Amino acid sequence: MENNGPKIASGDMAPGFKVELLLKDLNIAAESASELGLPLRGAALVGEYLRSLVADGNGELGTQALCKALEKLGSFGFSESKRVWRLQGKREERE
């Protein structure tokens, strides 16, 4: 949250690591886990969000674009007004 939180709040979706590359890596991990009989339910859920982003043409965005999948799923938007951040246990307000 320290790195991507401010990016999400400001709408900065420039990639540090692309959604499509994270999905590729997640698929490799899921395939390996499946071969070992290990369920990765959380990873499966994140994979759905990532596939949704790629399907919507957002695969080139940074991983912080996961917020877009959450916005779509929850029918809400991250506020562009005053934001309250919790960083390292401290409450901080930002405009």
Side-chain angles (χ1 to χ4, degrees):
M1 289 306 296
E2 191 170 315
N3 292 326
N4 284 333
K7 290 181 179 182
I8 291 168
S10 69
D12 177 5
M13 299 297 148
F17 194 71
K18 294 179 183 178
V19 165
E20 62 189 11
L21 295 176
L22 179 57
L23 180 58
K24 176 188 69 75
D25 290 352
L26 188 63
N27 286 335
I28 292 169
E31 191 174 305
S32 296
S34 178
E35 290 171 4
L36 296 170
L38 300 171
L40 296 179
R41 291 183 182 93
L45 179 60
V46 171
E48 288 181 35
Y49 295 154
L50 294 172
R51 281 187 286 284
S52 172
L53 287 168
V54 171
D56 289 343
N58 294 315
E60 294 286 320
L61 298 179
T63 56
Q64 67 272 25
L66 275 170
C67 71
K68 290 182 168 289
L70 296 174
E71 287 174 331
K72 183 178 175 182
L73 179 67
S75 299
F76 72 94
F78 287 94
S79 174
E80 288 301 315
S81 61
K82 184 181 282 188
R83 298 169 197 93
V84 176
W85 295 92
R86 292 195 183 277
L87 300 174
Q88 300 174 356
K90 299 175 185 172
R91 181 182 164 115
E92 184 177 322
E93 291 189 9
R94 296 184 181 177
E95 293 289 333

